[in-house]
Structures are given as structure tokens and as C-alpha cells.
């Protein structure tokens, strides 16, 4: 192993660790949010609107990250928003993953018409702008938590399906699969017991990348007013509310924007590292 | 302070970094650029009822018979005088020798042709309802024209201030949606929908020469972009941003900012045609008492709004009832009434909020929701884009439990505004026969004293029955460069002819 590749691996580890740490921190905050003793994120005090952040070296102050245009505490809104964002994005990724993996297995294993129909569906959806698809569906169904999860899952299953199908195509020709087949095992048993465990790793990598993309998409929909309805906080919604006040109260839009950026960045770093780590062709340091 | 200034520069750089590099030529005193917050969809004045954008732009090219000045009073336009002839007719005397810029004559015949075009179903005019009561236009002489109506039409002269006259021959041969030729102070140079409208002063205009040679309207939907464009000197006048920004804009010292009392009344429309609000006057009254309008005005609108005196009219409207006072804020009484109405254990209702149209609508709705929450009414907010809300509200006739909505009537007459609560109106959602009869009676006479008396009764009924919870008249905010002076007005018109150089 050359010195260069060791360095590269070290760096990858480093960044992956950073991403993982940030994400764990965010998860802890999101879960522990209601017990942190912060002000109610949905209740404002009109006399305390648009207060600048009070955080400094000497202490946190009453509103560490300031208040928004309705006098609500921005720190507690960012934390409450992370619960909403992570719930929606997480559920959508899991739901989309289950559907995508299942259809990918079917397409790859059975081939033929199944494969042709499913893969053309994938092609069509990949050619369709995701934001437009999401907008259309939310506009038709109306914005709600469940609809949002369903829409985001709908936009994310295709990537799983495509990658899993590719994996299945190689796995199904391997000797152990052929052997089980020769012993008379049914397709369900083969797929679940023998093929699935061998294709889950790439699905995991796709899942991390999808998570980052879904978080951004959810923020976009919320920004457009098609996400979760107020007063429930969501990051995209906070960006939309704050953009009018960017000149007089920069913190309303900037801080949720930073939170969004850090989250997506850490998920991506983690995903990159995971991909390197799980790739059998790359050597582990 | 330093923070704010740098944030402002950041905003300016973000929004206009590129465009200001390209267009940094300094504007001379005779050029004027006005920013609009939404798109100009058509130049055809018959195909739009949106005063703030389409009609404001069209009013530079076309002129009405009667003009409404910045003081919101009528003054002569193409007509020099007008008078009622009995209860069923109005006679207008036109200026002599006025022509459109293509040479066509603007005489009584042209006026008659315009009315016929509006009323012709083939035109599909959007402003047809404003003039539908006109049954006949009589050309008495080339400069005298009479409008005959079925019943009385007391606010016809007011309505005529919205009627922009088009040249008959030219209109028949061209597409007036994208091009324009009129009798006004400006001519069209270029119209790019979604971007800008460019106008230049017309030679040989029949009235006072306008103060600017070139006028450009630019479409800048984002509040922060408009503010940044003004501070950067790209535009001269902006309107319709949150009141909280006034202080910030003034602080830069380069531009001026302020606000005037608006004429659009905001209210919460309750759907009186279905549960839970159908036949529940006590519930309506309870909600009316549970909203702290003063706190919203002071907290969110810097105290610049005018709290509604328990009626849809503000004091500048004909028919305003000075005896009515704003609804009191009395949560204890509200709780009591709620219990009496059978909702002691609480009530869950939805509040629809159209977005992108009314100033700070989402913020105001959230505060209303939390105030109602304090008396035990759980409000679920449903935000939707303005167009889809209107579709649901008027075309679909499917209003939710309630909606945050605003109405102003450009003629500033009670007749036009109170019509929205009459049972036949698709926006009514209130089945009050007595109100409808009263409103019809008030519309059937041109006698101002009799109308005043009838409208006082009707506004009183609206206040006591509270089918809608009247909130406030939102202010019109504006900011301008120091080289111009806009005569700020409380209706939606934004016109270069109301602007002088300094």
C-alpha cells in the first residue's frame, strides 16, 4: 500500500468520523429536545420578536440564537425542526428503501418482462424532475406528515431498485445460488436467505446518500409551503419565513440554513466513508 | 448597527450582485423605475381586475373618464363633469379634441363602443361585473354621453375611474394583451411578461405633461430583493413589504420609507353554511371576542394598521358607520359564550390562509391561532397558494371552516363591498335573507342620505351577527429614493403620474 493511499484512507476516516459525530449529536439533540427545558417552539411572545442572538463567551443568554418574527426562540425551533426533518426524511428513506430493494430483487432475479417493465418505470421516473413530481403529488393530496413521507419515498425508491437489480444480476449467477437452486429451493427462499444478504451493503450506501437528498427535498417543499403546516417548525419553512427579514434580522434565515447545511454535509461525509469502508475492492487501513 | 449594515450589504450582494454590475449606469432625474411585487399578466385593461399590477400599468397608457387622485377623491379625467339624471341614468361631458396616440378620436361613440366591448360575452371581460348593470349607452352629442341602468347605479362615477378606454379600430386589429395604444400620458415601448414593462412619455398628451420621460416597471416578487434593489439605486419606488423593514430601510439614510392607511380590510371569514358555524351566532361572537387585534397590530404591524371598527369599511368609504367600535378583546366572555354555544369542552376548526397576497398573512394567522387556542379553540392552519385558494373558495364553493381573507373595493363605496355578504354572492357563505334584502334596497337608489341610513343598518347587522371577524386595514408600506416624491395612497394604484421629481 502506497503512502498516498494510506493518507487518503486516513482522511476518509477522519471525515467519516466527523460526519458520524455530528449526526449522532444531532440525533441526541432531536430525541432529547423536549427535555432540555427550552422555550416552546410554537409559542411566541410578540413583545420579544426579532431579538438578536444572545450567545456569547460569557453565557447563553435568554435566547441563544435569537427569536423570529413572531418572537419564538430559534434554538428550540431548530431542535424541534430537526425532529420533524429527521422523522420525515428517515421514514421516507426506509420506506423508499424497502420498496426499492423489493422491486430491484424482483427485476434482477426474474428478469424478462418483470425486468423490462420495472426498469422502464425507473427510467421514466429518473427522467422526470423530482421536485416537480413531489410538487404535483403534494398539491393533489394536500400537505400533511404522512403525505410528505409518501411523496419523498416515491421519489427515492428508483435509485435502490436500479442498484439492487445490478447487484442481483451478478449474485444470481454465483455458484452458491445455483447450488441452492439445484437443491430445489423456491425463489422466495433464495431471494430472502441467499441473495438479499449479499446486496444489502450497497443498499446501505444508497440509503445514506438518499437521506441527504431527501432532507434537502423536504426543506425545499417546506420552503414552498407544501411541507408540514405551521406552527410546527421545519427548517425549510424557517428559511421561507426568514427571507423577507434578511436585511433586518439575518439570524432568522441564516441559522436554520446552517443547521440544514451541517446535517446534509455530515450525512454525506458518513455516506462517503461508509462506501469506502464497505467496498471490498478498496483496502482497509 | 454594524451587524445590520453588513447584513444589508450581504442581502444586496446576494440578490443583485450580478445585475447591478451589468446595469450600473446612474439613473437621470427624468427616468423612473418602479418595482412591482407580482407579475403583469396582461396589458388589456378589460382582462384583469388586479389594480396593483395589471391595471396600474395599463393606466399609464389608457385613461378613464373619471380619475381617482392620490387623496382617494374623484377628479375629472376624460370627462370634465358628470351628473345623475333621475335614478336610472348618469350623464358625462367629455373633453373636446382628445385623440388616441394612433389618431383615433376619443368621443362619445368611442365610449359607447368600449362599454359594448366589456358587456359582449365574446370579449370575456374580467371586469364585466363592474358594468353589468348598464343597459344602454346613449350618444347625445360627440362630447355628451349617457349611461342608462336597470335600477339605480349610485357608484357609477366611482366605477368609471376603473374603466380604461381603448381605441375601437386599433383594438379590433391588434392583440391588446401584449401591446397597447391609448390616450394616456405614456406609450408602450416594451412588455416582457415576468420581467418588465417599459414606457415613454407620449408627445402631444392632452393633459399636464408627466414628470418623467421614461418609466419602467420591474417585477421583483421577493420582498428582500425589492428592498435591496431600492437601496442599490436600481429602482426608485417599492411597496408592500413588512412594516418591520421600514426602520431598517430608513436607517441606511439613502432612501425614505413610510406607510399609509390601506383600504383593504382583512377579516376571518367563517363558513356559515355548514357545521360548526351554521346557525351558531353565539359561537361567532365568542370567536370575535377572543382575538386581540390591538396586540397583533402593535406586535406584528408596528401599530401601523387601522383596527376595523367591527365592519368591512374603513372611514374613507361611503357608508362607513361611525357608531360602531372595534370588537373588544374579552377572552373570559368568549369562553362563556363558547360554553353557552355547546363547546365547553373546546372546538377544533381549520383556518385557510392564502399565501403570497396579503401582508404577513402567515404570521398573523399563526398569532390568531394561538389567541383562539387560549380560549379552547384549536385552530389547524391550512396554507395554500392564493390562486388555488380562490379556486376552492369561489369556483369550487368549498371553503373550509374559515379563512383569512381581505377585501377592498376600489370605488370606496359600501355597495360594492357589502355585496360580498349577500346570499347570491359566491363569496358570501352566509345565508342571511334580511341582510340581502337590505343591501338590495340600498342599491336601488341614488339618494346619498337614504343610502347612508341603510348602510348604517347593514354594517350594524354585520357587526352584531359577526359572520366574519373583522380584523384591520393593513397599511400600505412604501419606500422611495430621495429624488422622487410619491403621493402615497391607500388603495392599490401605483402610477408614475402620482410621482413628482424633487
Amino acid at each position: 500500500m502506497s503512502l498516498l493511499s494510506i493518507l487518503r484512507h486516513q482522511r476518509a476516516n477522519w471525515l467519516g468520523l466527523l460526519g458520524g459525530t455530528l449526526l449522532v449529536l444531532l440525533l441526541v439533540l432531536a430525541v432529547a429536545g423536549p427535555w432540555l427545558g427550552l422555550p416552546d417552539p410554537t409559542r411566541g411572545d410578540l413583545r420579544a420578536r426579532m431579538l438578536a442572538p444572545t450567545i456569547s463567551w460569557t453565557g447563553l443568554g435568554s435566547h441563544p440564537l435569537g427569536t423570529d418574527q413572531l418572537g419564538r426562540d430559534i434554538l428550540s425551533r431548530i431542535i424541534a425542526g430537526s425532529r420533524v426533518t429527521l422523522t420525515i426524511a428517515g421514514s421516507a428513506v426506509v420506506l423508499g428503501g424497502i420498496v426499492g430493494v423489493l422491486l430491484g430483487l424482483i427485476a434482477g432475479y426474474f428478469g424478462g418482462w418483470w425486468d423490462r417493465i420495472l426498469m422502464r418505470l425507473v427510467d421514466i421516473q429518473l427522467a422526470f424532475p423530482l421536485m416537480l413530481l413531489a410538487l404535483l403529488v403534494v398539491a393533489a393530496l394536500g400537505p400533511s406528515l404522512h403525505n410528505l413521507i409518501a411523496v419523498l419515498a416515491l421519489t427515492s425508491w428508483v435509485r435502490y431498485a436500479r442498484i439492487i437489480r445490478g447487484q442481483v444480476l451478478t449474485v444470481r449467477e454465483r455458484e452458491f445460488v445455483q447450488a441452492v437452486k439445484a437443491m430445489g429451493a423456491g425463489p422466495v427462499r433464495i431471494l430472502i436467505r441467499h441473495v438479499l444478504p449479499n446486496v444489502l451493503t450497497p443498499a446501505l450506501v444508497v440509503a445514506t446518500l438518499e437521506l441527504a437528498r431527501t432532507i434537502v427535498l423536504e426543506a425545499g417543499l417546506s420552503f414552498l409551503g407544501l411541507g408540514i403546516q405551521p406552527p410546527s417548525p421545519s427548517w425549510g419553512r424557517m428559511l421561507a419565513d426568514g427571507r423577507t427579514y434578511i436585511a433586518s434580522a439575518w439570524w432568522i434565515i441564516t441559522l436554520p440554513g446552517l443547521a440544514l447545511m451541517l446535517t446534509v454535509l455530515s450525512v454525506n461525509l458518513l455516506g462517503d466513508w461508509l462506501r469506502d469502508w464497505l467496498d471490498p475492492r478498496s483496502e482497509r487501513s | 448597527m454594524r451587524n445590520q449594515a453588513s447584513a444589508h450589504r450581504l442581502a444586496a450582494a446576494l440578490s443583485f450582485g450580478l445585475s447591478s454590475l451589468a446595469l450600473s449606469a446612474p439613473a437621470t432625474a427624468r427616468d423612473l423605475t418602479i418595482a412591482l411585487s407580482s407579475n403583469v399578466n396582461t396589458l388589456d385593461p378589460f382582462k384583469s381586475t388586479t389594480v396593483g399590477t395589471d391595471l396600474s400599468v395599463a393606466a399609464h397608457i389608457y385613461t378613464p373618464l373619471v380619475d381617482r387622485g392620490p387623496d382617494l377623491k374623484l377628479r375629472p379625467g376624460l370627462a370634465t363633469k358628470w351628473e345623475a339624471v333621475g335614478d336610472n341614468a348618469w350623464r358625462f361631458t367629455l373633453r373636446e379634441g382628445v385623440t388616441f396616440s394612433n389618431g383615433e378620436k376619443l368621443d362619445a361613440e368611442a365610449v359607447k363602443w368600449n362599454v359594448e366591448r366589456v358587456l359582449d360575452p365574446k370579449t370575456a371581460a374580467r371586469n364585466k361585473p363592474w358594468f353589468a348593470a348598464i343597459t344602454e349607452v346613449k350618444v347625445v352629442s360627440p362630447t355628451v354621453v349617457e349611461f342608462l341602468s336597470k335600477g339605480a347605479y349610485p357608484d357609477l362615477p366611482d366605477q368609471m375611474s376603473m374603466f380604461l378606454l381603448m381605441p375601437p379600430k386599433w383594438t379590433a386589429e391588434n392583440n391588446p394583451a401584449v401591446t397597447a395604444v391609448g390616450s394616456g400620458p405614456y406609450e408602450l415601448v416594451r412588455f416582457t411578461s415576468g420581467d418588465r414593462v417599459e414606457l415613454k412619455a407620449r408627445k402631444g398628451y392632452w393633459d399636464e405633461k408627466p414628470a418623467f420621460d421614461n418609466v419602467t416597471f420591474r417585477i421583483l416578487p421577493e420582498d428582500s430583493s425589492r428592498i435591496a434593489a431600492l437601496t442599490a439605486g436600481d429602482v426608485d419606488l417599492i411597496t408592500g413589504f413588512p412594516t418591520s423593514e421600514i426602520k431598517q430601510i430608513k436607517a441606511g439614510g439613502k432612501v425614505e420609507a413610510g406607510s399609509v392607511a390601506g383600504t383593504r380590510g382583512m377579516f376571518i371569514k367563517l363558513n356559515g353554511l355548514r357545521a360548526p358555524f351554521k346557525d351558531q351566532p353565539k359561537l361567532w361572537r365568542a370567536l370575535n371576542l377572543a382575538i386581540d387585534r390591538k396586540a397583533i397590530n402593535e406586535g406584528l404591524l408596528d401599530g401601523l394598521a387601522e383596527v376595523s371598527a367591527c365592519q368591512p369599511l374603513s372611514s374613507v368609504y361611503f357608508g362607513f358607520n361611525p357608531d360602531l367600535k372595534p370588537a373588544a378583546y374579552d377572552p373570559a366572555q368568549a369562553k362563556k359564550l363558547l360554553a353557552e354555544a355547546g363547546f365547553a369542552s373546546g372546538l377544533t376548526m381549520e383556518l385557510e390562509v392564502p399565501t403570497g397576497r396579503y401582508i404577513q398573512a402567515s404570521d398573523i394567522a399563526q398569532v390568531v391561532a394561538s389567541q383562539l387556542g387560549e380560549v379552547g379553540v384549536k385552530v389547524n392552519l391550512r396554507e395554500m397558494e392564493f390562486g388555488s385558494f380562490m379556486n376552492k373558495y369561489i369556483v369550487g364553493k368549498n371553503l373550509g371552516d374559515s379563512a383569512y381573507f381581505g377585501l377592498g373595493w376600489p370605488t370606496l363605496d359600501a355597495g360594492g363591498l357589502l355585496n360580498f355578504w349577500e346570499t347570491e354572492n359566491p363569496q358570501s357563505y352566509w345565508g342571511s335573507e334580511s341582510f340581502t334584502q337590505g343591501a338590495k334596497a340600498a342599491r336601488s337608489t341614488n339618494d346619498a342620505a337614504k343610502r347612508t341610513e341603510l348602510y348604517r343598518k347593514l354594517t350594524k347587522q354585520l357587526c352584531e351577527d359577526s359572520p366574519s371577524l373583522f380584523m384591520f386595514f393593513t397599511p400600505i408600506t412604501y419606500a422611495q429614493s430621495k429624488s422622487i416624491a410619491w403621493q402615497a395612497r391607500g388603495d392599490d394604484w401605483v402610477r408614475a403620474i402620482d410621482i413628482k421629481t424633487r
Side-chain angles (χ1 to χ4, degrees), chain A residues 238-249:
Chain A
M238 292 168 80
L239 294 179
D241 284 346
R243 72 194 198 276
T244 307
Y245 305 98
I246 189 166
S248 54

mmCIF file of all heavy atoms in Angstrom, chain A residues 238-249:
data_model
loop_
_atom_site.group_PDB
_atom_site.id
_atom_site.type_symbol
_atom_site.label_atom_id
_atom_site.label_comp_id
_atom_site.label_asym_id
_atom_site.label_seq_id
_atom_site.Cartn_x
_atom_site.Cartn_y
_atom_site.Cartn_z
ATOM 1 N N MET A 238 -38.669 27.681 8.019
ATOM 2 C CA MET A 238 -37.981 28.777 8.700
ATOM 3 C C MET A 238 -37.193 29.614 7.706
ATOM 4 O O MET A 238 -37.128 30.834 7.820
ATOM 5 C CB MET A 238 -37.055 28.221 9.787
ATOM 6 C CG MET A 238 -37.817 27.591 10.948
ATOM 7 S SD MET A 238 -36.749 26.642 12.048
ATOM 8 C CE MET A 238 -36.043 27.940 13.037
ATOM 9 N N LEU A 239 -36.612 28.952 6.707
ATOM 10 C CA LEU A 239 -35.898 29.696 5.658
ATOM 11 C C LEU A 239 -36.869 30.600 4.904
ATOM 12 O O LEU A 239 -36.587 31.767 4.645
ATOM 13 C CB LEU A 239 -35.243 28.731 4.665
ATOM 14 C CG LEU A 239 -34.110 27.849 5.165
ATOM 15 C CD1 LEU A 239 -33.619 26.950 4.044
ATOM 16 C CD2 LEU A 239 -32.971 28.698 5.674
ATOM 17 N N ALA A 240 -38.029 30.039 4.569
ATOM 18 C CA ALA A 240 -39.015 30.814 3.808
ATOM 19 C C ALA A 240 -39.482 32.015 4.620
ATOM 20 O O ALA A 240 -39.595 33.125 4.102
ATOM 21 C CB ALA A 240 -40.193 29.916 3.432
ATOM 22 N N ASP A 241 -39.756 31.789 5.899
ATOM 23 C CA ASP A 241 -40.227 32.900 6.746
ATOM 24 C C ASP A 241 -39.166 33.979 6.886
ATOM 25 O O ASP A 241 -39.470 35.159 6.926
ATOM 26 C CB ASP A 241 -40.562 32.376 8.153
ATOM 27 C CG ASP A 241 -41.870 31.623 8.175
ATOM 28 O OD1 ASP A 241 -42.621 31.745 7.196
ATOM 29 O OD2 ASP A 241 -42.129 30.912 9.157
ATOM 30 N N GLY A 242 -37.911 33.534 6.976
ATOM 31 C CA GLY A 242 -36.858 34.483 7.295
ATOM 32 C C GLY A 242 -36.376 35.303 6.118
ATOM 33 O O GLY A 242 -35.721 36.316 6.299
ATOM 34 N N ARG A 243 -36.705 34.870 4.888
ATOM 35 C CA ARG A 243 -36.064 35.535 3.751
ATOM 36 C C ARG A 243 -36.513 36.978 3.595
ATOM 37 O O ARG A 243 -35.770 37.812 3.080
ATOM 38 C CB ARG A 243 -36.288 34.751 2.469
ATOM 39 C CG ARG A 243 -37.673 34.787 1.890
ATOM 40 C CD ARG A 243 -37.771 33.690 0.841
ATOM 41 N NE ARG A 243 -38.866 33.850 -0.086
ATOM 42 C CZ ARG A 243 -40.112 33.452 0.168
ATOM 43 N NH1 ARG A 243 -40.412 32.920 1.336
ATOM 44 N NH2 ARG A 243 -41.050 33.596 -0.728
ATOM 45 N N THR A 244 -37.718 37.286 4.058
ATOM 46 C CA THR A 244 -38.181 38.666 3.982
ATOM 47 C C THR A 244 -37.372 39.564 4.910
ATOM 48 O O THR A 244 -37.210 40.746 4.658
ATOM 49 C CB THR A 244 -39.657 38.718 4.411
ATOM 50 O OG1 THR A 244 -40.357 37.784 3.633
ATOM 51 C CG2 THR A 244 -40.236 40.085 4.195
ATOM 52 N N TYR A 245 -36.912 38.982 6.001
ATOM 53 C CA TYR A 245 -36.287 39.811 7.036
ATOM 54 C C TYR A 245 -34.768 39.744 6.981
ATOM 55 O O TYR A 245 -34.114 40.093 7.948
ATOM 56 C CB TYR A 245 -36.778 39.348 8.417
ATOM 57 C CG TYR A 245 -38.284 39.349 8.529
ATOM 58 C CD1 TYR A 245 -39.006 38.187 8.360
ATOM 59 C CD2 TYR A 245 -38.972 40.538 8.784
ATOM 60 C CE1 TYR A 245 -40.393 38.199 8.446
ATOM 61 C CE2 TYR A 245 -40.345 40.557 8.871
ATOM 62 C CZ TYR A 245 -41.059 39.372 8.703
ATOM 63 O OH TYR A 245 -42.420 39.387 8.776
ATOM 64 N N ILE A 246 -34.225 39.278 5.855
ATOM 65 C CA ILE A 246 -32.776 39.048 5.801
ATOM 66 C C ILE A 246 -31.998 40.325 6.108
ATOM 67 O O ILE A 246 -30.934 40.282 6.714
ATOM 68 C CB ILE A 246 -32.372 38.441 4.433
ATOM 69 C CG1 ILE A 246 -30.919 37.992 4.462
ATOM 70 C CG2 ILE A 246 -32.605 39.407 3.298
ATOM 71 C CD1 ILE A 246 -30.524 37.105 3.307
ATOM 72 N N ALA A 247 -32.547 41.481 5.762
ATOM 73 C CA ALA A 247 -31.819 42.726 5.982
ATOM 74 C C ALA A 247 -31.891 43.172 7.439
ATOM 75 O O ALA A 247 -30.940 43.737 7.969
ATOM 76 C CB ALA A 247 -32.370 43.814 5.073
ATOM 77 N N SER A 248 -33.006 42.919 8.107
ATOM 78 C CA SER A 248 -33.133 43.439 9.463
ATOM 79 C C SER A 248 -32.886 42.381 10.525
ATOM 80 O O SER A 248 -32.586 42.710 11.658
ATOM 81 C CB SER A 248 -34.518 44.068 9.659
ATOM 82 O OG SER A 248 -35.518 43.154 9.326
ATOM 83 N N ALA A 249 -33.025 41.112 10.205
ATOM 84 C CA ALA A 249 -32.815 40.052 11.196
ATOM 85 C C ALA A 249 -32.218 38.839 10.489
ATOM 86 O O ALA A 249 -32.907 37.871 10.201
ATOM 87 C CB ALA A 249 -34.130 39.698 11.879
#
